[in-house]
Amino acid sequence: MQHHDTASQSTPPPRRRRRRLRGSVVVLVLGAVMFTVGAVALNPDGSAAPQPASTSPAPVLAPGSIEALQARVTRLPKEPRAWAALGMAYVQQGRTTADPATYARAEKALRTSLSVQAEDNTDAEIAMGALAAARHDFPSALDWALKATGDDPYSAAAHGVLADAYTQLGRYDEAEAAVQKMTDLRPDATSLARASYVFELKGDTGQARDLMRRSLTAAATTGDSAFARAVLASLALQDGDAQAALTEAQIGLRAAPADSALLEARARAHEALGHTAEAVADYRAAIAIAPLPHYLLGLGELEQSLGNRDRAEAQYALLRAQERIREAAGTAADTDAILFEADHGNPRQAVSMAVEALRNRPFLAVHDACAWALHQAGRNTEALEQADLALSLGTHSALYHYHRAAIHQALGHPDAARHDLTQALRQPGFHPLHEPAARALLQRIDTTE
């Protein structure tokens, strides 16, 4: 984020030619991943948030490491930016380690920053927005983002957090406007990544891929490059090209061999290609780095599909333990937890979790999870409403289409079910359990009619 003195804050900076994305006005959003927030975490200066420090024996600390930031606040306890940077580093660590206790440390650092400087502390406001988003408290994330953009309208990072909040709240037009502003201010890797995601949400994987390649070209850090490669692998899978997905992941891993998202992307590519041993190995490697719920669920369901029930249950046990921690913290469930409960637990409990999650996050992925939970609980009329919302932007999600197909079939709509199954099966191997079920259901419909 650029800093301005009092005079420059009241006067817009000199006008400069804005670089526009090719083709048209850019409409951009963030979703779960990146976007899960799927999201690219930003420092207060707009760069990628630092990763947790390594265990290198080198005596000199990396400038962005948590240890270096801790040393800085010890030296400068009245420096608000130092505390804000430490808080944002903790937010990113929490995202990459799935340790919610780290978020408490983040909040403590950020509250300290705000106690030192309560007003016009854009760095801390941006980080508080990112923290709220990481905790899936998107109304609070929006409040902080609006405060940050009000205090500094020229902060690209602030507009990025604003877009993230609007997106997860289902306010897509406002999200597009926010990220358009972000792109105008700083057309860098992170804004281009958000541009890619909005087109992905709308089902335009070609444009999403082009923009993500531009993000890759603009990448200033290994983390930015690794993220772009992981998304490119995911887009290739959506288009049914598992070999291209594998290539993207392997290229990324040559530069960042310990990047868990790239390992998970390669696992899914191997899985789609039928390389199950390699997929299991990559999932295990990713989980060893960051035991994120979607990694655990992916490995568990792959092991279950291979008949390794005990190994699957080991992953499910970890998911249940994480769920108990979430419940104790009083935060809303993520989509992975809802889908896991719907498929491997109590569907009625999954419905309750989904309804609670939708209150603060009426986003496409949550509508899909709610639809599946309702279907598994036998409430198919309500499920169809949620499934339609999940696909309302035109997203090319094989899983969403399979979920809606099963709901249509349960409601006696075989033609609609066939259409959604055809869409789902454009991505071979989209799910280790549901892809075979999709093929069987399509065959049953075709045989019956």
Side-chain angles (χ1 to χ4, degrees), residues 92 99 117 174 188 212 275 283 287 301 379 389 417 419:
Q92 179 65 3
D99 180 5
Q117 181 180 331
E174 290 160 293
D188 62 1
M212 190 52 69
H275 307 159
Y283 269 123
I287 289 167
E301 291 182 329
R379 296 164 60 178
L389 287 170
H419 171 77

Side-chain angles (χ1 to χ4, degrees), residues 209 213 226 228-256 261-283 427-428:
R209 187 182 306 105
R213 290 210 177 279
R229 290 290 183 188
V231 173
L232 287 167
S234 178
L235 290 169
L237 282 176
Q238 287 182 45
D239 287 340
D241 193 343
Q243 187 59 53
L246 182 60
T247 298
E248 293 288 356
Q250 287 176 328
I251 292 172
L253 284 165
R254 283 201 288 269
L262 282 168
L263 286 164
E264 190 253 358
R266 190 169 69 177
R268 291 190 294 118
H270 276 310
E271 187 178 338
L273 290 166
H275 307 159
T276 54
E278 292 89 343
V280 167
D282 277 339
Y283 269 123
Q427 183 184 330

